[in-house]
Amino acid sequence: MVKLFDSYTIREITLKNRIVMAPMCTYEAKEDGEVQPFHLTHYGSRAVGGVGLIITEATAVLPEGRISSNDLGIWDNHHIEGQSKIVAQAHAYGAKAAIQLAHAGRKSTVDGRVVASSALAFSENYRTPEEMTLEDIETVVQAFAGAAIRAQQAGFDVLEIHAAHGYLVNTFLSPLTNKRTDDYGGSAENRYRLLRNIIDAIRLKWDGPLFVRVSAHDYTEGGLVPEDFIQFARWMATQGVDVIDVSSGAVVPATINAYPLYQVPFAKTIKEGANVAVGTVGLITTGQEAEQVLQEDSADLIIIGRELLRDPYFPYRAAQQLGVTLEPTVEVYKRAW
Ligand SMILES: Cc1cc2nc3c(=O)[nH]c(=O)nc-3n(C[C@H](O)[C@H](O)[C@H](O)COP(=O)(O)O)c2cc1C
């Protein structure tokens, strides 16, 4: 029995299948972080293409937490209306919508203060951040909570906290970037504290499904490995996180040997070790690959990035590859498949 097109229920939300669009920055916003017509077409196309859940691109919880000045934002109430249009586009074609709440930390390239767990630059091409004060930390925690409220008002079905790829939260989790000597540095418990506070602050405002994206491997000696995330994931589950979205890398410059399904074992390690639901991502490009992951029970959700940039109709192609007939999101498209 093919599993890729089985529905999946998280709290009150049911995804029609296991195919999730990965969060991918499009850098098509203007300085104000507002949704543009492009975003509606871009995400709407993947909804028409049959994706079960669309996770929108990293969306900044504070203006200084943008990667670039073309990032989407959710730091102000004026963003709610535009974001609600993305949700409406997704829902119109049967997809659920998630927003990835993000703070770029030391990878921000916008004007203004750059902050991170410690005053270490990512590379010589980046500015050296200021080590965050306790007041800065509280500001960021409240910014995530405020963003969660706005996301709820925009109608999102799922929230995802971006704790991967070397952005702010990741710089606290990894011992390679966190050299703090206070309650936010040192032990795993302390390095987890910022994420703990963010999850708790969001959970006070949000009852719906909550995902956290992590970088499960730093690919550098002395850095994090998937086994470290078993404990982190147990803590997250206790706090009400529903799904760990398992990515890897980018907290420090490192060489990554990427090949089809290369991050699946990380997801499986966390799923089995912490008994949590996981999504897996990374070089999954065919229906057979996606199905194999589910058949082997390595992950609960299949997260697709670049293949969905190449082909918004990936779900229909995957169905064809697996001998499944899908109901079309637009009736007349039946004639094409
Ligand atoms: C253009 C582009 C933008 C991306 N932006 C984000 C992002 O905003 N947030 C994030 O967590 N990952 C981001 N990623 C990583 C993807 O979500 C995904 O993990 C990665 O592309 C590997 O999956 P794939 O091989 O299916 O593309 C981005 C990747 C690409 C190609």
Side-chain angles (χ1 to χ4, degrees), residues 21-27 55-59 67 100 102 160 162-165 167 213 245-248 262-263 281-285 303-310:
M21 179 178 181
M24 286 179 283
C25 287
T26 61
Y27 305 117
I55 308 180
T56 62
E57 62 204 85
T59 303
I67 303 166
Q100 189 184 48
E160 175 165 284
H162 198 346
H165 303 166
Y167 298 114
R213 178 169 264 212
D245 168 355
V246 184
S247 184
S248 72
Y262 74 109
Q263 293 178 138
V281 66
L283 284 175
I284 302 170
T285 58
I303 307 175
I304 309 285
R306 288 161 291 179
E307 192 59 21
L308 273 168
L309 295 186
R310 284 185 283 268

Side-chain angles (χ1 to χ4, degrees), residues 3-302:
K3 292 185 170 178
L4 188 58
F5 299 97
D6 284 353
S7 65
Y8 187 70
T9 299
I10 322 159
R11 296 181 187 248
E12 303 292 299
I13 301 292
T14 298
L15 313 181
K16 67 179 173 184
N17 60 44
R18 306 300 180 100
I19 302 175
V20 177
M21 179 178 181
M24 286 179 283
C25 287
T26 61
Y27 305 117
E28 289 290 337
K30 309 274 187 274
E31 284 279 343
D32 57 7
E34 286 285 1
V35 168
Q36 300 297 315
F38 164 79
H39 298 103
L40 305 183
T41 307
H42 175 66
Y43 293 116
S45 303
R46 277 69 197 180
V48 171
V51 166
L53 176 69
I54 293 169
I55 308 180
T56 62
E57 62 204 85
T59 303
V61 301
L62 284 169
E64 62 272 28
R66 287 173 294 173
I67 303 166
S68 86
S69 55
N70 298 112
D71 289 14
L72 284 178
I74 188 81
W75 66 80
D76 192 279
N77 289 343
H78 70 66
H79 293 121
I80 296 170
E81 192 187 339
Q83 290 288 342
S84 73
K85 291 181 184 165
I86 294 181
V87 176
Q89 279 291 77
H91 288 176
Y93 299 101
K96 300 294 184 196
I99 183 171
Q100 189 184 48
L101 304 176
H103 189 301
R106 68 179 187 165
K107 287 189 170 176
S108 172
T109 65
V110 298
D111 291 343
R113 255 182 109 213
V114 191
V115 294
S117 55
S118 300
L120 296 167
F122 177 71
S123 73
E124 58 193 22
N125 300 325
Y126 286 81
R127 289 172 291 176
T128 301
E130 290 175 41
E131 174 171 313
M132 285 172 84
T133 64
L134 296 183
E135 202 184 331
D136 292 333
I137 288 175
E138 188 51 27
T139 300
V140 163
V141 170
Q142 291 315 318
F144 272 93
I149 294 170
R150 284 178 215 108
Q152 183 166 35
Q153 288 169 351
F156 280 98
D157 305 292
V158 175
L159 304 188
E160 175 165 284
I161 299 168
H162 198 346
H165 303 166
Y167 298 114
L168 184 69
V169 179
N170 198 176
T171 66
F172 277 77
L173 292 175
S174 175
L176 296 175
T177 45
N178 184 340
K179 303 295 177 190
R180 299 176 73 96
T181 53
D182 63 2
D183 288 349
Y184 290 84
S187 65
E189 195 174 4
N190 282 357
R191 284 181 278 110
Y192 179 74
R193 196 174 307 280
L194 173 66
L195 181 53
R196 175 183 293 286
N197 294 351
I198 291 171
I199 295 167
D200 280 346
I202 289 178
R203 269 283 168 240
L204 285 177
K205 314 284 183 193
W206 171 255
D207 293 331
L210 181 60
F211 292 16
V212 175
R213 178 169 264 212
V214 299
S215 274
H217 208 313
D218 291 347
Y219 303 104
T220 302
E221 200 169 338
L224 296 172
V225 293
E227 286 70 21
D228 292 310
F229 282 85
I230 294 173
Q231 181 62 70
F232 289 145
R234 284 190 185 130
W235 286 328
M236 286 186 231
T238 310
Q239 291 181 268
V241 170
D242 300 296
V243 175
I244 317 284
D245 168 355
V246 184
S247 184
S248 72
V251 72
V252 293
T255 308
I256 301 174
N257 176 22
Y259 48 88
L261 308 181
Y262 74 109
Q263 293 178 138
V264 172
F266 309 160
K268 191 179 176 90
T269 295
I270 296 169
K271 180 177 168 63
E272 289 180 350
N275 195 22
V276 291
V278 299
T280 187
V281 66
L283 284 175
I284 302 170
T285 58
T286 67
Q288 288 88 344
E289 287 169 349
E291 183 61 25
Q292 178 194 328
V293 171
L294 295 175
Q295 290 295 341
E296 291 172 358
D297 215 14
S298 300
D300 303 275
L301 294 171
I302 307 297

